[in-house]
């Protein structure tokens, strides 16, 4: 059924547009921030404040391993000595489904949902063969179970129809534009999800813009106050040096969750208070 592979208008991650095929567009050509030096300073200050987020260490290690032939780039990133002990590289399909399950919920709940999914259905073939209701029950703790189950089933159905197997590793051999196009064809997979898969699982120099990154970028004047998330994505991907994108993105995301001064959104996680930290970004905040 070819129609099952058609993209629906309303995306799970809140975007109706397809993922930009290229980051060469510049929506704000007269806005010259952030500079490369600003990016480096913010990266270093947030790294000193928070350390590198442990949940992203395994992805960072795999990036650096793939960058070994390009030692100059690898050396431009700060040395991280921590080792989370997980040396197995996550499959692209696992990564995509994890990101789908993380939408509109807490990190803890999305982790529980993925663990439950893999416990009930050990292989993706099991998920593909399962009733949708059974899949919903397995991931219900992550919220929006019917929508997320529909997205997962669609991804697996499209892969089975088009490729004959439930695997996304073929994306590694494509160009970045082709990766984006392939991922964007799945119903329920929007621009932010595509960018996250590129950065975390395909080791590409992409800079996803979630709510935390978007709010901080506007607050410190890296984009105009009128910017939306899609144009912020295009602008920041043009302005931020490739070798800084991964670390800076992970650190801005973490900082946005923890710093009261940088986000107005509530969080179930412990927030840093003025007693805990003097926000290194507060000196750069501009009026919207």
């Amino acid at each position: 059924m070819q129609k099952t592979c058609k993209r629906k208008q309303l995306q799970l991650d809140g975007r109706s547009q397809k993922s930009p095929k290229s980051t060469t567009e510049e929506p704000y050509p007269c806005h010259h921030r952030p500079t490369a030096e600003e990016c480096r300073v913010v990266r270093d200050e947030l790294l000193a404040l928070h350390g590198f987020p442990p949940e992203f260490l395994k992805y960072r290690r795999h990036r650096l391993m793939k960058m070994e032939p390009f030692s100059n780039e690898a050396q431009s990133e700060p040395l991280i000595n921590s080792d989370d002990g997980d040396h197995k590289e996550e499959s692209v399909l696992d990564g995509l489904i994890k990101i789908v399950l993380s939408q509109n919920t807490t990190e803890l709940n999305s982790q529980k949902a993925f663990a439950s999914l893999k416990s009930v259905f050990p292989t993706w073939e099991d998920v593909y063969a399962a009733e949708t209701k059974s899949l919903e029950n397995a991931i219900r703790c992550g919220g929006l179970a019917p929508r997320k189950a529909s997205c997962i089933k669609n991804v697996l159905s499209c892969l089975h129809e088009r490729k004959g197997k439930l695997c996304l590793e073929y994306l590694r051999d494509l160009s970045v534009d082709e990766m984006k196009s392939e991922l964007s064809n799945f119903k329920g997979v929007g621009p932010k999800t595509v960018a996250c898969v590129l950065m975390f699982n395909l080791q590409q120099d992409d800079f996803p813009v979630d709510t935390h990154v978007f709010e901080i970028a506007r607050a410190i004047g890296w984009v105009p106050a009128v910017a939306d998330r899609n144009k912020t994505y295009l602008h920041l991907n043009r302005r931020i040096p490739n070798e800084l994108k991964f670390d800076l993105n992970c650190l801005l995301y973490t900082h946005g969750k923890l710093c009261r001064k940088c986000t107005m959104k509530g969080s179930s996680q412990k927030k840093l208070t003025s007693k805990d930290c003097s926000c290194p970004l507060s000196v750069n905040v501009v009026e919207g």
Side-chain angles (χ1 to χ4, degrees):
M1 293 186 297
Q2 192 64 28
K3 66 179 180 179
T4 61
C5 295
K6 291 182 179 178
R7 183 179 176 79
K8 70 178 180 180
Q9 291 299 310
L10 181 61
Q11 299 297 342
L12 263 176
D13 60 4
R15 305 301 305 175
S16 60
Q17 305 99 317
K18 288 189 176 182
S19 178
K21 289 188 176 181
S22 173
T23 55
T24 58
E25 302 173 48
E26 174 51 274
Y28 307 116
C30 296
H31 195 88
H32 302 303
R33 299 186 64 198
T35 65
E37 182 57 25
E38 279 184 292
C39 294
R40 195 173 300 278
V41 168
V42 168
R43 189 275 312 271
D44 291 347
E45 288 180 340
L46 292 182
L47 186 64
L49 177 63
H50 299 297
F52 194 82
E55 65 267 33
F56 301 129
L57 277 174
K58 68 176 181 180
Y59 300 106
R60 191 180 193 284
R61 182 171 56 250
H62 291 307
R63 288 179 65 84
L64 293 179
M65 288 171 61
K66 290 184 180 295
M67 288 168 58
E68 280 181 357
F70 309 100
S71 56
N72 289 337
E73 287 188 51
Q75 290 172 4
S76 70
E77 300 191 6
L79 180 63
I80 304 295
N81 294 319
S82 301
D83 188 350
D84 62 357
D86 184 1
H87 295 280
K88 183 179 179 182
E89 186 169 12
E90 182 177 81
S91 75
V92 180
L93 183 54
D94 276 27
L96 172 59
I97 302 307
K98 277 186 176 181
I99 294 166
V100 168
L101 291 174
S102 73
Q103 294 163 6
N104 303 106
T105 191
T106 65
E107 196 170 313
L108 179 60
N109 284 344
S110 70
Q111 290 172 350
K112 287 181 178 178
F114 188 77
S116 174
L117 173 65
K118 298 299 278 186
S119 174
V120 176
F121 306 109
T123 70
W124 292 119
E125 286 74 17
D126 294 331
V127 179
Y128 174 71
E131 294 291 333
T132 300
K133 198 66 179 177
S134 298
L135 175 56
E136 289 178 18
N137 291 335
I139 64 174
R140 196 168 302 281
C141 59
L144 298 177
R147 294 174 66 185
K148 293 177 181 179
S150 175
C151 176
I152 293 170
K153 292 290 278 188
N154 178 74
V155 168
L156 299 180
S157 295
C158 287
L159 280 175
H160 187 267
E161 291 168 12
R162 286 159 30 188
K163 301 295 180 180
K165 59 181 180 179
L166 306 180
C167 179
L168 283 172
E169 298 306 304
Y170 72 93
L171 293 178
R172 299 185 188 277
D173 298 323
L174 304 183
S175 68
V176 172
D177 286 351
E178 289 170 334
M179 290 176 185
K180 290 184 177 184
S181 178
E182 286 283 304
L183 289 167
S184 297
N185 282 330
F186 295 123
K187 183 173 62 178
V189 175
K192 188 189 76 174
T193 297
V194 171
C196 286
V197 173
L198 261 66
M199 185 177 79
F200 288 117
N201 300 105
L202 293 169
Q203 291 81 42
Q204 299 300 314
D205 296 317
D206 213 282
F207 195 84
V209 175
D210 78 321
T211 300
H212 300 298
V213 173
F214 179 49
E215 289 180 350
I216 292 175
R218 286 202 303 179
I220 64 178
W222 281 11
V223 292
V226 296
D228 60 26
R229 270 173 56 169
N230 194 45
K231 289 181 179 178
T232 297
Y233 167 81
L234 293 170
H235 180 74
L236 294 183
N237 270 283
R238 280 292 302 271
R239 300 292 306 177
I240 297 173
N242 283 342
E243 68 271 16
L244 300 179
K245 284 179 178 176
F246 183 84
D247 286 0
L248 184 57
N249 195 277
C250 295
L251 288 162
L252 285 173
Y253 168 79
T254 298
H255 189 69
K257 290 193 301 178
L258 298 176
C259 181
R260 291 185 185 277
K261 297 180 181 179
C262 287
T263 177
M264 299 300 293
K265 294 181 74 66
S267 172
S268 60
Q269 299 198 32
K270 178 180 181 292
K271 293 269 190 175
L272 295 177
T273 66
S274 56
K275 282 185 176 181
D276 298 317
C277 86
S278 175
C279 175
L281 304 187
S282 60
V283 295
N284 295 315
V285 172
V286 297
E287 293 296 330

